[in-house]
Amino acid sequence: MHTPLLIIGGGLSGLAAAIRFARFNPDVLILEKHSRVGGLNSWYYRHNSLFETGLHAITNFAPPEDKNAPLNRLFRQLKLRRKDFSFHEQLTSEICFTNQEALRFSNDFDLLLHEITSKFPGSANQFIKLVETIKEHDPFQTTPFRSARTYLDNTLNDPLLVDMLLCPLMYYGSSVENDMDFNQFVIMFRAIFLEGMFRPHGSIKDFLDRLLNHYQNFGGKIRLQAQVARIIHQGNKVQGVELQDGEIIECDALVSTIGLEETLACLDTPPLRQTQGKRLGFVESIFRLPSECRKDLPTDKTIIFYNNSEQLQYQRPQTLVDLTSGVICFPANFQGLAPQPYFEVRTTHLADYSSWKSLAGDKIAYLTAKSNTASQSKTTVEKIIGNFTQHVVYEDTFTPLTIERFTAKKEGAIYGCPDKIKDGNIGYDNLFLAGTDQGFLGIVGAMLSGVSMVNQHILSRL
Amino acid sequence: MTRDEIKDLILEIIKDIDEDADFDTLQSDLPLRDQLDLDSMDFLDIVMELRKRHKLQIPEADYPQLASLTSCVNYLEPLLKNI
Ligand SMILES: Cc1cc2nc3c(=O)[nH]c(=O)nc-3n(C[C@H](O)[C@H](O)[C@H](O)COP(=O)(O)OP(=O)(O)OC[C@H]3O[C@@H](n4cnc5c(N)ncnc54)[C@H](O)[C@@H]3O)c2cc1C
């Protein structure tokens, strides 16, 4: 079999890349290892109900009329009618540093501005100047890593404010410990603070189904349970791929969304490229509760980014999990959602892949660690949001091993390797990287990555 | 294609990219991008649609010639004369 364009991975970046191409030429094939699409942001069924694997909130909210907003540009590029989608905006979110300070923000940037002006009056003017810089900066130029933290330390002159601003931006978009690249900081600041957060109507499955339908309506093809084992190439030219079962599919061009090292591992003679720094792992727990308990927990907060230690430690812990900071999400607390019989509390904390890996051989020890982690997470967040443990009707926890197993992300690192390949070029004539390791993170980021890599490298070859 | 047909083709392609595009005040000699809120990504779509519909290969170096409606028509007229 031969196809002009092959895409490895049916996550959000792969789907977006494929739709973008199929819009002009239906001869594109997605190969996805798993039995469903979505990758990190997918779904599963337990007890006859659907659980989302990775959706807290989508960033980059924009109303339909704001044509130049990244979200609407993305929709145009995919030829999706923005007006056909209904989105639920967040209520209020909070950055909560226990015994230190709390900052609320929403999709109205004035709230954050007001909070900072009243709680950090000494840094207010510098903050306003920072926002101007962020609005004017072009974050898409490919420049070497520049520390956002150093920049903020120098401009804001308040270590607490710097930590508080970085907290949500790192949790939702940094592959680097305790810092982020300045360009990535600008992208995430706009995405979260200036634009804001929302969730699509229905579940992530509905959203993915629509993307897949749209793709198939253009004539695009997808094969599920099709794991690429090897990329066949001669020198720098890729000729096709070999699947796990030995089938060979030839192609003119290949886009890989499975990660840099994951892609290099499929090549016979990978060019030498050492990635530096540690990959960040996370544990994510879902607690399902009956709706009667909603009144006991915050109903006005969508997401809380908390930190209980003196200084925020966004880094790989030495133990299974670091509970001193994390994210608490209430997926039911978005505007205009119809009440459901159950609602969820989700928590995210930093985790250490190797500690989890060392338990992998001992099923009981692993399951015990998982359940202990969930309990500790509950106890920790109860101090912030109120008690709910006794009402939990179902809970589940994903460790870095779960994520590695289902998405083949090395070490289960959601944000991939610390250093990114911004131009998608990994030294081959017709093989390009998109998605997580190209550097745009999160749902909108992954989709923009797929679109822009196809625009830059593939469409011109048509 | 006549000049008018080419003009309609371009407008139709733009409408397809952005159904809310407003042509009422569009001035033929001014850059399309500024008047219609198109960015470089949308612009690429015009080129891609021309390729898809009429098998036209427009080299990147020629993109500036598609800046305004008039310059589009001037540039495309010889290329589409037999269609
Ligand atoms: C728990 C959790 C919560 C999250 N919360 C949010 C959130 O609230 N908001 C947000 O914006 N983002 C969130 N994210 C991040 C977001 O999901 C990701 O950044 C984004 O989905 C990455 O998409 P991707 O296409 O780059 O990668 P992936 O989703 O990893 O896609 C890669 C795909 O390739 C497939 N694959 C791998 N190897 C092979 C192979 N050899 N052959 C064939 N296929 C292969 C995988 O199965 C996968 O489907 C969350 C992630 C997690 C895990």
Side-chain angles (χ1 to χ4, degrees):
Chain A
M1 186 186 168
H2 174 272
T3 182
L5 177 63
L6 264 185
I7 292 179
I8 314 181
L12 284 153
S13 63
L15 280 171
I19 293 172
R20 179 68 189 151
F21 186 84
R23 175 179 168 178
F24 302 110
N25 183 339
D27 296 322
V28 39
L29 173 64
I30 301 176
L31 298 170
E32 167 57 52
K33 158 183 180 278
H34 202 35
S35 54
R36 56 182 59 142
V37 296
L40 290 169
N41 245 290
S42 194
W43 76 94
Y44 63 100
Y45 289 103
R46 266 311 124 74
H47 309 306
N48 290 324
S49 61
L50 182 146
F51 290 88
E52 292 169 327
T53 58
L55 180 61
H56 287 188
I58 303 183
T59 56
N60 300 85
F61 178 78
E65 54 287 358
D66 188 355
K67 278 194 197 174
N68 283 321
L71 182 72
N72 295 336
R73 284 164 60 182
L74 172 65
F75 271 63
R76 275 206 306 282
Q77 288 278 296
L78 298 176
K79 218 167 179 2
L80 288 164
R81 293 182 76 227
R82 169 70 170 81
K83 289 179 192 147
D84 292 345
F85 286 77
S86 77
F87 291 149
H88 301 276
E89 291 186 63
Q90 69 164 326
L91 302 172
T92 304
S93 290
E94 187 169 47
I95 308 158
C96 174
F97 277 36
T98 314
N99 300 327
Q100 298 192 73
E101 195 52 274
L103 289 172
R104 290 177 306 137
F105 65 97
S106 68
N107 289 1
D108 177 0
F109 184 67
D110 285 346
L111 176 60
L112 181 65
L113 196 58
H114 177 262
E115 291 269 297
I116 289 179
T117 323
S118 58
K119 295 174 178 172
F120 292 91
S123 299
N125 284 334
Q126 289 96 310
F127 179 72
I128 292 166
K129 270 197 218 127
L130 171 71
V131 175
E132 286 313 310
T133 308
I134 288 170
K135 284 182 177 164
E136 278 156 27
H137 184 77
D138 170 16
F140 301 107
Q141 42 189 337
T142 32
T143 43
F145 183 90
R146 173 175 168 209
S147 162
R149 183 181 285 280
T150 308
Y151 182 86
L152 294 174
D153 279 341
N154 292 337
T155 44
L156 294 176
N157 255 320
D158 188 317
L160 177 60
L161 179 58
V162 171
D163 260 355
M164 291 186 84
L165 288 174
L166 281 175
C167 179
L169 308 189
M170 291 193 299
Y171 263 103
Y172 277 0
S174 179
S175 57
V176 184
E177 290 187 316
N178 290 313
D179 204 349
M180 56 207 302
D181 174 43
F182 185 73
N183 285 334
Q184 176 66 3
F185 165 78
V186 168
I187 291 173
M188 293 309 297
F189 190 101
R190 291 180 184 168
I192 291 179
F193 294 139
L194 288 169
E195 290 159 29
M197 299 192 283
F198 67 99
R199 59 168 293 136
H201 188 69
S203 68
I204 191 74
K205 177 177 187 301
D206 299 316
F207 187 70
L208 290 166
D209 282 348
R210 286 182 77 161
L211 292 181
L212 194 55
N213 258 329
H214 187 59
Y215 171 61
Q216 289 172 327
N217 285 339
F218 280 134
K221 286 164 268 315
I222 180 162
R223 300 241 307 251
L224 298 172
Q225 290 177 300
Q227 180 176 350
V228 171
R230 198 161 71 86
I231 298 172
I232 305 161
H233 62 108
Q234 205 157 50
N236 292 338
K237 186 152 173 31
V238 167
Q239 291 143 334
V241 301
E242 182 180 335
L243 302 184
Q244 196 68 28
D245 64 8
E247 184 184 354
I248 288 175
I249 304 177
E250 291 171 1
C251 64
D252 299 332
L254 182 62
V255 171
S256 172
T257 70
I258 65 176
L260 173 61
E261 284 182 44
E262 294 86 338
T263 303
L264 295 182
C266 294
L267 289 153
D268 293 334
T269 47
L272 278 179
R273 193 193 280 270
Q274 285 283 317
T275 55
Q276 281 158 14
K278 296 183 203 132
R279 286 169 188 256
L280 292 167
F282 297 88
V283 287
E284 171 94 4
S285 294
I286 307 175
F287 305 108
R288 182 165 276 201
L289 299 153
S291 59
E292 303 88 82
C293 313
R294 268 190 87 176
K295 57 180 187 332
D296 305 330
L297 295 175
T299 48
D300 57 341
K301 294 267 157 50
T302 304
I303 297 167
I304 299 171
F305 301 87
Y306 80 87
N307 170 40
N308 289 338
S309 64
E310 190 127 333
Q311 242 196 328
L312 175 66
Q313 311 277 321
Y314 183 80
Q315 62 192 38
R316 187 166 175 160
Q318 313 224 308
T319 48
L320 290 169
V321 59
D322 176 3
L323 298 154
T324 58
S325 73
V327 186
I328 309 165
C329 171
F330 299 94
N333 294 352
F334 284 81
Q335 291 175 29
L337 289 181
Q340 302 290 328
Y342 296 100
F343 74 104
E344 285 169 12
V345 176
R346 303 183 70 115
T347 62
T348 309
H349 310 280
L350 286 149
D352 174 37
Y353 172 80
S354 38
S355 301
W356 287 98
K357 186 75 184 167
S358 71
L359 300 175
D362 183 346
K363 188 141 193 223
I364 295 177
Y366 176 72
L367 291 177
T368 311
K370 230 166 95 149
S371 119
N372 288 344
T373 297
S375 303
Q376 291 161 7
S377 172
K378 273 182 290 195
T379 328
T380 308
V381 306
E382 277 186 330
K383 298 202 179 81
I384 299 164
I385 62 172
N387 292 352
F388 64 90
T389 299
Q390 67 277 22
H391 303 297
V392 172
V393 292
Y394 171 79
E395 67 178 49
D396 201 3
T397 295
F398 318 137
T399 72
L401 296 191
T402 324
I403 294 167
E404 189 179 50
R405 179 148 61 95
F406 285 105
T407 68
K409 279 250 171 315
K410 192 174 177 198
E411 301 188 4
I414 296 177
Y415 298 136
C417 65
D419 43 347
K420 302 300 184 189
I421 312 294
K422 285 291 171 68
D423 60 3
N425 192 336
I426 56 170
Y428 289 81
D429 298 343
N430 56 344
L431 158 61
F432 303 96
L433 205 63
T436 308
D437 281 349
Q438 183 265 324
F440 296 171
L441 303 174
I443 296 169
V444 171
M447 293 177 79
L448 281 171
S449 166
V451 165
S452 57
M453 289 303 107
V454 167
N455 282 352
Q456 260 180 59
H457 301 298
I458 310 291
L459 288 183
S460 55
R461 293 161 186 261
L462 255 183
Chain B
M1 276 191 186
T2 64
R3 287 182 70 86
D4 275 342
E5 283 167 344
I6 295 174
K7 190 175 149 194
D8 287 344
L9 170 68
I10 297 292
L11 294 179
E12 186 193 310
I13 289 174
I14 294 173
K15 201 83 196 167
D16 202 37
I17 294 166
D18 175 12
E19 58 178 6
D20 297 325
D22 178 11
F23 298 141
D24 290 352
T25 54
L26 192 67
Q27 300 203 18
S28 302
D29 295 325
L30 296 181
L32 288 163
R33 271 175 73 166
D34 303 347
Q35 300 182 80
L36 294 170
D37 254 356
L38 296 180
D39 60 23
S40 57
M41 282 161 111
D42 296 317
F43 206 70
L44 178 65
D45 287 17
I46 301 181
V47 175
M48 291 305 302
E49 282 293 337
L50 286 168
R51 193 175 299 179
K52 183 171 146 185
R53 295 178 187 208
H54 297 291
K55 305 260 174 305
L56 283 185
Q57 293 279 0
I58 301 174
E60 213 167 320
D62 289 352
Y63 290 0
Q65 309 217 36
L66 302 175
S68 73
L69 202 50
T70 309
S71 69
C72 276
V73 175
N74 291 343
Y75 176 76
L76 294 171
E77 196 178 10
L79 302 174
L80 294 171
K81 68 171 186 286
N82 294 327
I83 294 172

